[in-house]
mmCIF file of all heavy atoms in Angstrom:
data_model
loop_
_atom_site.group_PDB
_atom_site.id
_atom_site.type_symbol
_atom_site.label_atom_id
_atom_site.label_comp_id
_atom_site.label_asym_id
_atom_site.label_seq_id
_atom_site.Cartn_x
_atom_site.Cartn_y
_atom_site.Cartn_z
ATOM 1 N N LEU N 243 100.619 118.045 110.605
ATOM 2 C CA LEU N 243 101.812 118.298 111.410
ATOM 3 C C LEU N 243 102.467 119.610 111.007
ATOM 4 O O LEU N 243 102.883 120.398 111.858
ATOM 5 C CB LEU N 243 102.797 117.133 111.277
ATOM 6 C CG LEU N 243 104.061 117.234 112.111
ATOM 7 C CD1 LEU N 243 103.721 117.229 113.596
ATOM 8 C CD2 LEU N 243 104.994 116.084 111.778
ATOM 9 N N TRP N 244 102.551 119.862 109.707
ATOM 10 C CA TRP N 244 103.099 121.116 109.200
ATOM 11 C C TRP N 244 102.284 122.290 109.745
ATOM 12 O O TRP N 244 102.822 123.301 110.181
ATOM 13 C CB TRP N 244 103.099 121.102 107.681
ATOM 14 C CG TRP N 244 103.711 122.292 107.008
ATOM 15 C CD1 TRP N 244 103.993 123.516 107.541
ATOM 16 C CD2 TRP N 244 104.128 122.375 105.653
ATOM 17 N NE1 TRP N 244 104.535 124.351 106.610
ATOM 18 C CE2 TRP N 244 104.630 123.671 105.426
ATOM 19 C CE3 TRP N 244 104.092 121.493 104.591
ATOM 20 C CZ2 TRP N 244 105.105 124.092 104.190
ATOM 21 C CZ3 TRP N 244 104.572 121.920 103.361
ATOM 22 C CH2 TRP N 244 105.078 123.197 103.167
ATOM 23 N N GLY N 245 100.966 122.157 109.692
ATOM 24 C CA GLY N 245 100.100 123.223 110.201
ATOM 25 C C GLY N 245 100.258 123.468 111.690
ATOM 26 O O GLY N 245 100.127 124.598 112.159
ATOM 27 N N LEU N 246 100.548 122.409 112.445
ATOM 28 C CA LEU N 246 100.770 122.578 113.877
ATOM 29 C C LEU N 246 102.111 123.239 114.180
ATOM 30 O O LEU N 246 102.230 124.050 115.086
ATOM 31 C CB LEU N 246 100.708 121.222 114.582
ATOM 32 C CG LEU N 246 99.334 120.592 114.711
ATOM 33 C CD1 LEU N 246 99.459 119.179 115.272
ATOM 34 C CD2 LEU N 246 98.430 121.433 115.581
ATOM 35 N N LEU N 247 103.123 122.870 113.399
ATOM 36 C CA LEU N 247 104.462 123.411 113.641
ATOM 37 C C LEU N 247 104.644 124.823 113.099
ATOM 38 O O LEU N 247 105.425 125.601 113.648
ATOM 39 C CB LEU N 247 105.520 122.482 113.026
ATOM 40 C CG LEU N 247 105.620 121.098 113.662
ATOM 41 C CD1 LEU N 247 106.619 120.243 112.904
ATOM 42 C CD2 LEU N 247 105.992 121.203 115.123
ATOM 43 N N TRP N 248 103.955 125.139 112.009
ATOM 44 C CA TRP N 248 104.104 126.450 111.391
ATOM 45 C C TRP N 248 102.739 126.961 110.943
ATOM 46 O O TRP N 248 102.421 126.978 109.761
ATOM 47 C CB TRP N 248 105.065 126.374 110.211
ATOM 48 C CG TRP N 248 105.495 127.698 109.687
ATOM 49 C CD1 TRP N 248 105.694 128.848 110.373
ATOM 50 C CD2 TRP N 248 105.779 128.006 108.321
ATOM 51 N NE1 TRP N 248 106.085 129.851 109.535
ATOM 52 C CE2 TRP N 248 106.158 129.360 108.256
ATOM 53 C CE3 TRP N 248 105.759 127.272 107.152
ATOM 54 C CZ2 TRP N 248 106.498 129.992 107.076
ATOM 55 C CZ3 TRP N 248 106.110 127.902 105.964
ATOM 56 C CH2 TRP N 248 106.475 129.249 105.940
ATOM 57 N N PRO N 249 101.891 127.364 111.881
ATOM 58 C CA PRO N 249 100.532 127.790 111.514
ATOM 59 C C PRO N 249 100.538 129.109 110.745
ATOM 60 O O PRO N 249 101.237 130.049 111.117
ATOM 61 C CB PRO N 249 99.829 127.930 112.862
ATOM 62 C CG PRO N 249 100.923 128.127 113.847
ATOM 63 C CD PRO N 249 102.135 127.434 113.309
ATOM 64 N N GLN N 250 99.773 129.138 109.703
ATOM 65 C CA GLN N 250 99.610 130.337 108.884
ATOM 66 C C GLN N 250 98.128 130.696 108.844
ATOM 67 O O GLN N 250 97.280 129.812 108.743
ATOM 68 C CB GLN N 250 100.111 130.087 107.452
ATOM 69 C CG GLN N 250 101.588 129.765 107.356
ATOM 70 C CD GLN N 250 102.439 130.941 107.770
ATOM 71 O OE1 GLN N 250 102.232 132.046 107.299
ATOM 72 N NE2 GLN N 250 103.376 130.701 108.668
ATOM 73 N N PRO N 251 97.801 131.968 108.927
ATOM 74 C CA PRO N 251 96.384 132.353 108.927
ATOM 75 C C PRO N 251 95.744 132.184 107.552
ATOM 76 O O PRO N 251 96.412 132.219 106.518
ATOM 77 C CB PRO N 251 96.424 133.826 109.337
ATOM 78 C CG PRO N 251 97.767 134.296 108.909
ATOM 79 C CD PRO N 251 98.691 133.120 109.058
ATOM 80 N N ARG N 252 94.464 132.024 107.575
ATOM 81 C CA ARG N 252 93.687 131.952 106.332
ATOM 82 C C ARG N 252 93.394 133.371 105.857
ATOM 83 O O ARG N 252 93.474 134.319 106.634
ATOM 84 C CB ARG N 252 92.388 131.192 106.579
ATOM 85 C CG ARG N 252 92.633 129.748 106.948
ATOM 86 C CD ARG N 252 91.318 129.021 107.137
ATOM 87 N NE ARG N 252 91.538 127.646 107.533
ATOM 88 C CZ ARG N 252 91.660 126.635 106.673
ATOM 89 N NH1 ARG N 252 91.585 126.853 105.384
ATOM 90 N NH2 ARG N 252 91.848 125.413 107.108
ATOM 91 N N PRO N 253 93.044 133.547 104.583
ATOM 92 C CA PRO N 253 92.745 134.893 104.077
ATOM 93 C C PRO N 253 91.647 135.606 104.863
ATOM 94 O O PRO N 253 91.734 136.811 105.110
ATOM 95 C CB PRO N 253 92.311 134.646 102.623
ATOM 96 C CG PRO N 253 92.958 133.374 102.249
ATOM 97 C CD PRO N 253 93.024 132.553 103.499
ATOM 98 N N ALA N 254 90.639 134.881 105.290
ATOM 99 C CA ALA N 254 89.538 135.510 106.043
ATOM 100 C C ALA N 254 90.014 136.030 107.392
ATOM 101 O O ALA N 254 89.523 137.055 107.878
ATOM 102 C CB ALA N 254 88.402 134.510 106.239
ATOM 103 N N ALA N 255 90.984 135.340 107.990
ATOM 104 C CA ALA N 255 91.506 135.797 109.287
ATOM 105 C C ALA N 255 92.268 137.101 109.150
ATOM 106 O O ALA N 255 92.374 137.871 110.107
ATOM 107 C CB ALA N 255 92.412 134.726 109.884
ATOM 108 N N LEU N 256 92.782 137.375 107.961
ATOM 109 C CA LEU N 256 93.491 138.626 107.695
ATOM 110 C C LEU N 256 92.585 139.668 107.049
ATOM 111 O O LEU N 256 93.054 140.722 106.618
ATOM 112 C CB LEU N 256 94.701 138.351 106.786
ATOM 113 C CG LEU N 256 95.749 137.395 107.353
ATOM 114 C CD1 LEU N 256 96.816 137.111 106.315
ATOM 115 C CD2 LEU N 256 96.362 137.966 108.613
ATOM 116 N N HIS N 257 91.300 139.352 106.960
ATOM 117 C CA HIS N 257 90.304 140.243 106.357
ATOM 118 C C HIS N 257 90.677 140.589 104.912
ATOM 119 O O HIS N 257 90.575 141.739 104.489
ATOM 120 C CB HIS N 257 90.112 141.512 107.197
ATOM 121 C CG HIS N 257 89.781 141.207 108.615
ATOM 122 N ND1 HIS N 257 88.580 140.657 108.993
ATOM 123 C CD2 HIS N 257 90.506 141.342 109.752
ATOM 124 C CE1 HIS N 257 88.561 140.479 110.301
ATOM 125 N NE2 HIS N 257 89.721 140.886 110.792
ATOM 126 N N MET N 258 91.094 139.582 104.193
ATOM 127 C CA MET N 258 91.448 139.752 102.778
ATOM 128 C C MET N 258 90.438 138.994 101.928
ATOM 129 O O MET N 258 90.116 137.844 102.209
ATOM 130 C CB MET N 258 92.851 139.211 102.506
ATOM 131 C CG MET N 258 93.929 139.931 103.283
ATOM 132 S SD MET N 258 95.553 139.224 102.974
ATOM 133 C CE MET N 258 95.813 139.733 101.292
ATOM 134 N N GLY N 259 89.961 139.620 100.885
ATOM 135 C CA GLY N 259 89.056 138.963 99.962
ATOM 136 C C GLY N 259 87.699 138.701 100.568
ATOM 137 O O GLY N 259 87.314 139.253 101.600
ATOM 138 N N VAL N 260 86.968 137.831 99.910
ATOM 139 C CA VAL N 260 85.616 137.482 100.322
ATOM 140 C C VAL N 260 85.614 136.008 100.715
ATOM 141 O O VAL N 260 86.093 135.159 99.979
ATOM 142 C CB VAL N 260 84.619 137.709 99.170
ATOM 143 C CG1 VAL N 260 83.223 137.272 99.552
ATOM 144 C CG2 VAL N 260 84.628 139.163 98.748
ATOM 145 N N GLN N 261 85.063 135.713 101.872
ATOM 146 C CA GLN N 261 84.957 134.324 102.299
ATOM 147 C C GLN N 261 83.600 133.801 101.873
ATOM 148 O O GLN N 261 82.561 134.277 102.333
ATOM 149 C CB GLN N 261 85.124 134.198 103.805
ATOM 150 C CG GLN N 261 85.014 132.771 104.273
ATOM 151 C CD GLN N 261 85.071 132.662 105.777
ATOM 152 O OE1 GLN N 261 85.406 133.594 106.469
ATOM 153 N NE2 GLN N 261 84.723 131.492 106.275
ATOM 154 N N LEU N 262 83.592 132.818 101.006
ATOM 155 C CA LEU N 262 82.347 132.235 100.527
ATOM 156 C C LEU N 262 81.953 130.990 101.308
ATOM 157 O O LEU N 262 80.928 130.394 101.044
ATOM 158 C CB LEU N 262 82.472 131.881 99.040
ATOM 159 C CG LEU N 262 82.756 133.069 98.119
ATOM 160 C CD1 LEU N 262 82.911 132.601 96.689
ATOM 161 C CD2 LEU N 262 81.646 134.096 98.217
ATOM 162 N N SER N 263 82.763 130.608 102.250
ATOM 163 C CA SER N 263 82.487 129.424 103.049
ATOM 164 C C SER N 263 81.271 129.669 103.935
ATOM 165 O O SER N 263 81.178 130.707 104.587
ATOM 166 C CB SER N 263 83.703 129.092 103.916
ATOM 167 O OG SER N 263 83.409 128.033 104.778
ATOM 168 N N PRO N 264 80.356 128.716 103.993
ATOM 169 C CA PRO N 264 79.148 128.924 104.801
ATOM 170 C C PRO N 264 79.367 128.763 106.305
ATOM 171 O O PRO N 264 78.491 129.045 107.082
ATOM 172 C CB PRO N 264 78.193 127.858 104.276
ATOM 173 C CG PRO N 264 79.068 126.801 103.714
ATOM 174 C CD PRO N 264 80.301 127.489 103.214
ATOM 175 N N TRP N 265 80.522 128.291 106.725
ATOM 176 C CA TRP N 265 80.805 128.139 108.147
ATOM 177 C C TRP N 265 82.168 128.712 108.474
ATOM 178 O O TRP N 265 83.014 128.871 107.602
ATOM 179 C CB TRP N 265 80.718 126.677 108.575
ATOM 180 C CG TRP N 265 81.456 125.745 107.702
ATOM 181 C CD1 TRP N 265 82.792 125.480 107.701
ATOM 182 C CD2 TRP N 265 80.922 124.949 106.650
ATOM 183 N NE1 TRP N 265 83.115 124.583 106.738
ATOM 184 C CE2 TRP N 265 81.980 124.236 106.069
ATOM 185 C CE3 TRP N 265 79.637 124.774 106.133
ATOM 186 C CZ2 TRP N 265 81.803 123.352 105.010
ATOM 187 C CZ3 TRP N 265 79.481 123.897 105.075
ATOM 188 C CH2 TRP N 265 80.543 123.206 104.536
ATOM 189 N N PRO N 266 82.419 129.014 109.739
ATOM 190 C CA PRO N 266 83.716 129.585 110.111
ATOM 191 C C PRO N 266 84.847 128.583 109.897
ATOM 192 O O PRO N 266 84.676 127.385 110.094
ATOM 193 C CB PRO N 266 83.565 129.936 111.594
ATOM 194 C CG PRO N 266 82.314 129.308 112.048
ATOM 195 C CD PRO N 266 81.509 128.911 110.859
ATOM 196 N N LEU N 267 85.972 129.102 109.475
ATOM 197 C CA LEU N 267 87.125 128.260 109.192
ATOM 198 C C LEU N 267 88.017 128.174 110.415
ATOM 199 O O LEU N 267 88.185 129.136 111.149
ATOM 200 C CB LEU N 267 87.912 128.842 108.017
ATOM 201 C CG LEU N 267 87.127 128.966 106.720
ATOM 202 C CD1 LEU N 267 87.927 129.729 105.700
ATOM 203 C CD2 LEU N 267 86.754 127.606 106.196
ATOM 204 N N SER N 268 88.600 127.022 110.609
ATOM 205 C CA SER N 268 89.513 126.845 111.733
ATOM 206 C C SER N 268 90.741 126.097 111.233
ATOM 207 O O SER N 268 90.746 125.520 110.157
ATOM 208 C CB SER N 268 88.835 126.063 112.853
ATOM 209 O OG SER N 268 88.501 124.771 112.399
ATOM 210 N N GLY N 269 91.766 126.099 112.031
ATOM 211 C CA GLY N 269 92.976 125.379 111.673
ATOM 212 C C GLY N 269 93.897 126.215 110.820
ATOM 213 O O GLY N 269 93.565 127.310 110.378
ATOM 214 N N ALA N 270 95.082 125.680 110.620
ATOM 215 C CA ALA N 270 96.086 126.365 109.810
ATOM 216 C C ALA N 270 95.745 126.243 108.328
ATOM 217 O O ALA N 270 95.130 125.276 107.895
ATOM 218 C CB ALA N 270 97.463 125.775 110.086
ATOM 219 N N ALA N 271 96.160 127.233 107.575
ATOM 220 C CA ALA N 271 95.847 127.246 106.156
ATOM 221 C C ALA N 271 96.878 126.507 105.318
ATOM 222 O O ALA N 271 96.551 125.955 104.283
ATOM 223 C CB ALA N 271 95.743 128.691 105.671
ATOM 224 N N MET N 272 98.127 126.520 105.758
ATOM 225 C CA MET N 272 99.172 125.972 104.889
ATOM 226 C C MET N 272 99.709 124.690 105.475
ATOM 227 O O MET N 272 100.027 124.652 106.662
ATOM 228 C CB MET N 272 100.314 126.970 104.736
ATOM 229 C CG MET N 272 101.380 126.471 103.801
ATOM 230 S SD MET N 272 102.528 127.709 103.219
ATOM 231 C CE MET N 272 103.392 128.165 104.664
ATOM 232 N N PRO N 273 99.838 123.657 104.662
ATOM 233 C CA PRO N 273 99.359 123.482 103.290
ATOM 234 C C PRO N 273 97.892 123.043 103.266
ATOM 235 O O PRO N 273 97.334 122.693 104.300
ATOM 236 C CB PRO N 273 100.265 122.373 102.751
ATOM 237 C CG PRO N 273 100.606 121.561 103.934
ATOM 238 C CD PRO N 273 100.644 122.521 105.100
ATOM 239 N N SER N 274 97.322 123.044 102.091
ATOM 240 C CA SER N 274 95.930 122.626 101.940
ATOM 241 C C SER N 274 95.843 121.109 102.086
ATOM 242 O O SER N 274 96.451 120.371 101.319
ATOM 243 C CB SER N 274 95.409 123.051 100.571
ATOM 244 O OG SER N 274 94.134 122.491 100.330
ATOM 245 N N ASP N 275 95.095 120.656 103.074
ATOM 246 C CA ASP N 275 94.960 119.213 103.319
ATOM 247 C C ASP N 275 94.318 118.498 102.129
ATOM 248 O O ASP N 275 94.779 117.433 101.708
ATOM 249 C CB ASP N 275 94.110 118.954 104.563
ATOM 250 C CG ASP N 275 94.719 119.510 105.828
ATOM 251 O OD1 ASP N 275 95.953 119.702 105.855
ATOM 252 O OD2 ASP N 275 93.963 119.744 106.782
ATOM 253 N N GLU N 276 93.246 119.081 101.625
ATOM 254 C CA GLU N 276 92.503 118.440 100.536
ATOM 255 C C GLU N 276 93.368 118.280 99.297
ATOM 256 O O GLU N 276 93.380 117.221 98.666
ATOM 257 C CB GLU N 276 91.252 119.256 100.191
ATOM 258 C CG GLU N 276 90.268 119.402 101.324
ATOM 259 C CD GLU N 276 90.648 120.485 102.324
ATOM 260 O OE1 GLU N 276 91.607 121.240 102.089
ATOM 261 O OE2 GLU N 276 89.962 120.576 103.347
ATOM 262 N N VAL N 277 94.091 119.317 98.956
ATOM 263 C CA VAL N 277 94.942 119.263 97.765
ATOM 264 C C VAL N 277 96.101 118.300 97.986
ATOM 265 O O VAL N 277 96.462 117.538 97.080
ATOM 266 C CB VAL N 277 95.434 120.674 97.381
ATOM 267 C CG1 VAL N 277 96.384 120.620 96.205
ATOM 268 C CG2 VAL N 277 94.254 121.574 97.060
ATOM 269 N N ALA N 278 96.674 118.284 99.179
ATOM 270 C CA ALA N 278 97.767 117.356 99.468
ATOM 271 C C ALA N 278 97.306 115.913 99.329
ATOM 272 O O ALA N 278 98.015 115.076 98.754
ATOM 273 C CB ALA N 278 98.323 117.609 100.868
ATOM 274 N N VAL N 279 96.120 115.614 99.823
ATOM 275 C CA VAL N 279 95.589 114.251 99.721
ATOM 276 C C VAL N 279 95.360 113.869 98.264
ATOM 277 O O VAL N 279 95.767 112.788 97.814
ATOM 278 C CB VAL N 279 94.291 114.121 100.546
ATOM 279 C CG1 VAL N 279 93.537 112.848 100.207
ATOM 280 C CG2 VAL N 279 94.601 114.172 102.023
ATOM 281 N N LEU N 280 94.713 114.737 97.495
ATOM 282 C CA LEU N 280 94.429 114.416 96.093
ATOM 283 C C LEU N 280 95.704 114.320 95.257
ATOM 284 O O LEU N 280 95.821 113.440 94.395
ATOM 285 C CB LEU N 280 93.470 115.450 95.504
ATOM 286 C CG LEU N 280 92.039 115.381 96.037
ATOM 287 C CD1 LEU N 280 91.237 116.581 95.562
ATOM 288 C CD2 LEU N 280 91.373 114.079 95.621
ATOM 289 N N LEU N 281 96.664 115.213 95.498
ATOM 290 C CA LEU N 281 97.929 115.124 94.780
ATOM 291 C C LEU N 281 98.673 113.841 95.124
ATOM 292 O O LEU N 281 99.228 113.180 94.242
ATOM 293 C CB LEU N 281 98.810 116.339 95.088
ATOM 294 C CG LEU N 281 98.452 117.664 94.431
ATOM 295 C CD1 LEU N 281 99.340 118.772 94.978
ATOM 296 C CD2 LEU N 281 98.580 117.574 92.922
ATOM 297 N N ALA N 282 98.704 113.481 96.388
ATOM 298 C CA ALA N 282 99.379 112.248 96.803
ATOM 299 C C ALA N 282 98.717 111.031 96.171
ATOM 300 O O ALA N 282 99.394 110.101 95.724
ATOM 301 C CB ALA N 282 99.388 112.129 98.326
ATOM 302 N N MET N 283 97.403 111.046 96.114
ATOM 303 C CA MET N 283 96.698 109.931 95.480
ATOM 304 C C MET N 283 97.001 109.859 93.991
ATOM 305 O O MET N 283 97.231 108.777 93.445
ATOM 306 C CB MET N 283 95.191 110.069 95.712
ATOM 307 C CG MET N 283 94.788 109.851 97.149
ATOM 308 S SD MET N 283 93.069 110.234 97.460
ATOM 309 C CE MET N 283 92.290 108.830 96.728
ATOM 310 N N GLY N 284 96.996 111.006 93.339
ATOM 311 C CA GLY N 284 97.278 111.022 91.906
ATOM 312 C C GLY N 284 98.696 110.597 91.586
ATOM 313 O O GLY N 284 98.939 109.815 90.662
ATOM 314 N N LEU N 285 99.654 111.098 92.350
ATOM 315 C CA LEU N 285 101.054 110.745 92.098
ATOM 316 C C LEU N 285 101.320 109.281 92.411
ATOM 317 O O LEU N 285 102.050 108.602 91.672
ATOM 318 C CB LEU N 285 101.977 111.641 92.922
ATOM 319 C CG LEU N 285 102.012 113.113 92.505
ATOM 320 C CD1 LEU N 285 102.804 113.932 93.509
ATOM 321 C CD2 LEU N 285 102.572 113.273 91.107
ATOM 322 N N SER N 286 100.737 108.758 93.479
ATOM 323 C CA SER N 286 100.961 107.345 93.797
ATOM 324 C C SER N 286 100.203 106.432 92.839
ATOM 325 O O SER N 286 100.607 105.283 92.645
ATOM 326 C CB SER N 286 100.585 107.054 95.245
ATOM 327 O OG SER N 286 99.217 107.291 95.455
ATOM 328 N N ALA N 287 99.136 106.923 92.238
ATOM 329 C CA ALA N 287 98.429 106.114 91.238
ATOM 330 C C ALA N 287 99.321 105.852 90.025
ATOM 331 O O ALA N 287 99.218 104.797 89.394
ATOM 332 C CB ALA N 287 97.140 106.806 90.798
ATOM 333 N N PHE N 288 100.211 106.783 89.701
ATOM 334 C CA PHE N 288 101.138 106.547 88.592
ATOM 335 C C PHE N 288 102.101 105.404 88.896
ATOM 336 O O PHE N 288 102.551 104.706 87.992
ATOM 337 C CB PHE N 288 101.940 107.808 88.268
ATOM 338 C CG PHE N 288 101.164 108.825 87.497
ATOM 339 C CD1 PHE N 288 101.001 110.099 87.997
ATOM 340 C CD2 PHE N 288 100.598 108.518 86.280
ATOM 341 C CE1 PHE N 288 100.290 111.047 87.301
ATOM 342 C CE2 PHE N 288 99.873 109.455 85.573
ATOM 343 C CZ PHE N 288 99.719 110.724 86.083
ATOM 344 N N ALA N 289 102.443 105.205 90.159
ATOM 345 C CA ALA N 289 103.350 104.125 90.537
ATOM 346 C C ALA N 289 102.630 102.781 90.611
ATOM 347 O O ALA N 289 103.276 101.736 90.602
ATOM 348 C CB ALA N 289 104.000 104.441 91.879
#
Side-chain angles (χ1 to χ4, degrees):
L243 183 63
W244 184 343
L246 288 173
L247 294 176
W248 192 33
Q250 297 294 310
R252 295 182 182 270
L256 299 175
H257 306 291
M258 298 178 70
V260 176
Q261 180 185 348
L262 299 178
S263 175
W265 48 80
L267 300 172
S268 63
M272 183 165 67
S274 172
D275 298 337
E276 299 80 7
V277 176
V279 166
L280 290 171
L281 285 174
M283 291 172 75
L285 291 172
S286 63
F288 283 122

